[in-house]
Amino acid sequence: MKKQWWKESIVYQIYPRSFMDTNGDGIGDLKGIQTKLDYLKELGVDVIWLSPVYKSPNDDNGYDISDYYNIMDEFGTIEDWEELLFEVHKREIKLIMDLVVNHTSDEHPWFIQSRQSKDNPYRDYYIWRKGENGVEPNNWESFFSGSAWEYDENTKEYYLHIFSKKQPDLNWENPKVRDEIYKMMKWWLDKGIDGFRMDVINFISKDSDLPNAPSLHGKQYASGSRYFANGPKVHQFLQEMHNRVLSLYAIMTVGETPDVTPDEAALYVGENLNELNMVFQFEHMDIDSGAGGKWDVKPFHLKTFKQVMTKWQKGLEDRGWNSLYLNNHDQPRMVSRFGNDKKYRVESAKMLATCLHMMKGTPFIYQGEEIGMTNVAFNTIDEYKDLETLNWYREREKEGVEDASTLMQLIYKKSRDNARTPMQWNDHKHAGFSNVTPWLKINPNYKEINVKEALEDKDSVFYYYKKLIQLRKEHPIIVYGAYDLLLENHEQIYAFTRTYDEEKLLIILNFSEKSPTFELPKTMVYQSAELLIGNYKVNTTQRIDSFNLQPYESRVYRMH
Ligand code: NOJ
């Protein structure tokens, strides 16, 4: 497979609202990001991905855009953004922007026009349908609860919104919509950005019949994703986008694609298929959910995790490139979800980082992950801000099946606000994020878990990440080596190898607080084993045929 800079890179995701506030409104801003670039340089990241910074009424924190050519008031101005880009590039870091084009805000001028009359020239920029006898055009459920259709009194029709009703879906069948999007993409690329992360990009082509979805347990609404995820024209649209925009620039692209299998992903990222470089798949994010979706919480099983990760590592082998992530702004914090955020917080954060950074693909770090930030548990629902969480809570409260404390327990596990509490910079009031009360409460553990503390402790999670990142620069095998699973059925240990020409790495990870014995498969012959990185102090000259692992221990050996 071809060598590419984005395969060798490490990406750091910034959720600007929660990163750093400099103008004293309790909301992060672009100037705040600028003040922290040296910190990111110290960590060693190559690329920054900015979650949306465009003008937005913030129904969904910027994923509802009302002007693609301007910056959200709370975050600053286009001049601030230009300066940020300059400062990022000065440090030899790249910048990729979030591209949210499955939908706009309902306050976008296109939608304001579109809803005015059935013959408005912008009517067909969105998906409008008549309902029948006061019933929506179909039974699709919005990702944020309730129907995916909103009735508009003015023209007596419904518009489709698979996210919130303030996020109407664009009609990609309309060539004018596509022209507008490509024009806007070029406008940003001509400013010198280095690529895009594309929001739910595999949802842009809907089955034009808009069929009803099979409903679960006689529920009124059901997920329609089988009719819009990887829809009929998605590859046609992306190839057009590639041809008209992406191919003209030396950039990286990563598409967010829920509901893809490795075979489907290969169609988006296939090396010669001219669409995207990588996709974010969701299978490993779904392994602790049941048939009822994300709030139907199931226990985590390492064996399933290994199966899913291996399926992706092997599934795209020699075909395309994986993105690697264990959390982001939509997911719980990885150390709380897959590790242990109490007694073994530091150990398990390092172990999970080792797992991710030693796989084949481009690792994505989500802000705060590098200091082991954890989930949060606010006392009351009023302290939550995420509309997905709030809508779901209200709906379940209305149904009245579970009591409030059961609902709160689920929120503690799965709410997106777990990842959105402000970045913990130091142990001062408001964690050094702001000098006023922030838009979302700080996690009370900021006194112990913060950047200042991490930078002062040479054994911190931060320095472990820094070392992992350096190792990637020193050993091409970490980027390009083939992945193979060992000990498939082990309940606590995740072990795998990476192989590149004559070289071999062995990665051993204990996903438990027990002390399981690692037994090296007899087929692996070696002279000596050199420890490249580990999260406990170990005797580096020992043989590694059989030994006990400490809780959440991780070791990476180079086999000679
Ligand atoms: C995925 C984004 O990551 C999420 O935050 C957002 O709510 C939806 N897409 C809708 O844009």
Side-chain angles (χ1 to χ4, degrees):
M1 291 187 85
K2 279 194 228 117
K3 295 206 163 164
Q4 303 278 9
W5 64 265
W6 43 265
K7 295 183 179 173
E8 294 165 17
S9 293
I10 285 170
V11 185
Y12 186 92
Q13 181 192 354
I14 292 183
Y15 195 65
R17 203 175 179 79
S18 301
F19 195 63
M20 180 66 201
D21 173 26
T22 52
N23 65 352
D25 60 0
I27 296 172
D29 45 51
L30 297 180
K31 284 257 184 281
I33 298 172
Q34 201 177 315
T35 64
K36 298 299 181 186
L37 294 178
D38 290 333
Y39 166 73
L40 298 178
K41 187 70 194 167
E42 164 79 9
L43 180 60
V45 304
D46 306 288
V47 180
I48 293 172
W49 149 29
L50 282 189
S51 272
V53 296
Y54 315 95
K55 221 170 228 22
S56 163
N58 280 305
D59 188 50
D60 188 18
N61 292 351
Y63 283 93
D64 48 321
I65 296 169
S66 54
D67 181 353
Y68 288 107
Y69 295 93
N70 259 306
I71 300 296
M72 188 188 299
D73 293 333
E74 294 87 332
F75 291 175
T77 63
I78 195 80
E79 288 74 34
D80 295 337
W81 182 87
E82 302 266 7
E83 194 176 309
L84 177 66
L85 179 68
F86 178 81
E87 291 294 325
V88 169
H89 281 167
K90 198 166 94 187
R91 288 167 179 78
E92 295 181 326
I93 300 176
K94 293 184 159 62
L95 185 78
I96 69 171
M97 296 284 278
D98 220 307
L99 181 77
V100 188
V101 289
N102 173 69
H103 45 268
T104 67
S105 162
D106 66 338
E107 297 181 34
H108 192 288
W110 300 337
F111 191 74
I112 295 175
Q113 289 285 328
S114 184
R115 76 191 322 175
Q116 271 173 11
S117 65
K118 288 187 191 165
D119 57 7
N120 187 285
Y122 288 89
R123 184 66 168 183
D124 204 25
Y125 270 46
Y126 296 87
I127 303 171
W128 291 94
R129 291 288 186 280
K130 281 203 275 294
E132 274 181 42
N133 311 321
V135 180
E136 298 92 0
N138 70 24
N139 69 346
W140 293 0
E141 181 169 39
S142 150
F143 279 97
F144 297 151
S145 304
S147 171
W149 295 93
E150 181 72 8
Y151 185 66
D152 199 53
E153 197 51 59
N154 190 34
T155 54
K156 312 238 177 308
E157 285 190 343
Y158 293 81
Y159 64 86
L160 179 69
H161 60 88
I162 55 185
F163 293 94
S164 104
K165 63 178 182 218
K166 286 185 67 64
Q167 293 167 300
D169 281 58
L170 281 165
N171 176 18
W172 273 71
E173 300 284 333
N174 181 347
K176 288 200 208 119
V177 168
R178 306 204 301 275
D179 288 346
E180 294 270 18
I181 291 170
Y182 303 153
K183 182 175 103 191
M184 177 271 288
M185 291 172 74
K186 284 188 172 163
W187 191 83
W188 286 100
L189 288 163
D190 289 338
K191 286 192 175 294
I193 64 166
D194 304 288
F196 289 111
R197 173 269 187 189
M198 303 185 182
D199 194 66
V200 289
I201 199 66
N202 65 330
F203 288 0
I204 57 178
S205 164
K206 279 83 180 167
D207 181 329
S208 52
D209 294 338
L210 303 168
N212 274 321
S215 85
L216 261 182
H217 314 300
K219 286 208 164 171
Q220 186 178 6
Y221 303 117
S223 166
S225 69
R226 70 185 66 201
Y227 301 115
F228 58 72
N230 316 308
K233 294 198 189 153
V234 68
H235 294 293
Q236 184 187 317
F237 294 155
L238 286 177
Q239 276 164 30
E240 181 183 79
M241 180 196 282
H242 188 274
N243 188 19
R244 288 180 48 189
V245 184
L246 305 176
S247 63
L248 311 178
Y249 303 85
I251 52 169
M252 71 166 262
T253 52
V254 53
E256 186 201 27
T257 55
D259 291 308
V260 287
T261 62
D263 285 343
E264 281 160 340
L267 299 174
Y268 294 101
V269 303
E271 290 233 310
N272 300 313
L273 296 179
N274 298 329
E275 294 190 15
L276 305 175
N277 297 146
M278 289 170 262
V279 294
F280 289 129
Q281 58 89 12
F282 279 69
E283 260 190 274
H284 64 310
M285 290 289 112
D286 295 336
I287 59 173
D288 56 0
S289 309
K294 75 177 264 183
W295 304 101
D296 179 11
V297 180
K298 293 276 174 300
F300 168 80
H301 292 296
L302 178 64
K303 268 172 73 175
T304 323
F305 182 73
K306 294 199 277 190
Q307 266 160 19
V308 170
M309 296 315 272
T310 304
K311 173 172 159 193
W312 280 88
Q313 290 284 298
K314 294 314 255 183
L316 289 187
E317 192 168 73
D318 302 328
R319 294 213 276 177
W321 195 250
N322 268 298
S323 75
L324 304 169
Y325 73 100
L326 287 176
N327 50 200
N328 58 35
H329 65 294
D330 291 330
Q331 300 292 338
R333 289 280 179 185
M334 72 186 203
V335 69
S336 303
R337 190 179 192 182
F338 306 121
N340 175 320
D341 64 6
K342 302 274 166 354
K343 188 164 172 201
Y344 298 110
R345 183 184 67 85
V346 170
E347 292 80 358
S348 63
K350 292 176 181 174
M351 183 280 289
L352 290 165
T354 317
C355 176
L356 202 75
H357 287 244
M358 288 298 148
M359 284 193 188
K360 187 167 181 174
T362 298
F364 286 71
I365 301 172
Y366 176 66
Q367 67 183 43
E369 173 187 330
E370 77 281 11
I371 56 165
M373 279 177 63
T374 70
N375 280 355
V376 74
F378 296 136
N379 290 328
T380 65
I381 186 69
D382 309 329
E383 288 158 294
Y384 286 83
K385 299 280 182 256
D386 169 32
L387 90 162
E388 181 196 41
T389 306
L390 296 172
N391 289 356
W392 172 80
Y393 184 92
R394 287 185 200 120
E395 187 183 87
R396 295 295 271 257
E397 199 182 29
K398 216 165 22 172
E399 282 170 14
V401 181
E402 299 100 339
D403 58 22
S405 89
T406 310
L407 297 179
M408 290 310 284
Q409 289 307 320
L410 293 170
I411 285 177
Y412 297 160
K413 288 211 162 75
K414 288 289 184 79
S415 170
R416 304 196 296 182
D417 280 343
N418 281 308
R420 297 176 179 186
T421 61
M423 186 69 186
Q424 296 164 201
W425 295 106
N426 58 42
D427 62 359
H428 302 166
K429 199 162 180 210
H430 310 308
F433 163 73
S434 174
N435 47 27
V436 302
T437 305
W439 72 277
L440 176 66
K441 280 175 77 176
I442 310 264
N443 191 319
N445 63 21
Y446 74 95
K447 296 239 180 224
E448 299 87 62
I449 307 171
N450 62 65
V451 169
K452 180 162 181 286
E453 182 274 342
L455 292 175
E456 283 164 3
D457 170 8
K458 68 177 188 358
D459 289 326
S460 67
V461 178
F462 177 89
Y463 288 115
Y464 193 90
Y465 268 79
K466 186 173 169 172
K467 185 160 179 201
L468 281 171
I469 293 171
Q470 272 166 359
L471 284 173
R472 190 181 177 85
K473 308 286 170 212
E474 290 157 13
H475 301 275
I477 183 172
I478 298 176
V479 180
Y480 294 109
Y483 164 101
D484 286 288
L485 181 66
L486 300 177
L487 313 180
E488 188 181 341
N489 294 314
H490 203 291
E491 305 273 355
Q492 286 103 29
I493 299 177
Y494 190 172
F496 56 93
T497 55
R498 301 288 305 279
T499 312
Y500 193 52
D501 298 330
E502 298 299 294
E503 240 185 302
K504 199 178 268 305
L505 295 182
L506 168 65
I507 294 92
I508 307 164
L509 311 161
N510 177 9
F511 268 73
S512 77
E513 47 190 82
K514 302 198 179 113
S515 295
T517 307
F518 172 78
E519 303 269 0
L520 187 72
K522 295 275 177 293
T523 48
M524 274 192 71
V525 183
Y526 69 105
Q527 302 288 318
S528 65
E530 172 199 353
L531 187 72
L532 284 188
I533 190 169
N535 63 353
Y536 282 84
K537 293 211 163 36
V538 294
N539 176 355
T540 49
T541 57
Q542 76 185 103
R543 300 284 301 168
I544 55 163
D545 304 274
S546 171
F547 60 91
N548 288 342
L549 286 159
Q550 310 251 31
Y552 295 100
E553 183 164 4
S554 56
R555 299 187 190 189
V556 178
Y557 284 105
R558 192 167 175 206
M559 309 297 273
H560 298 280

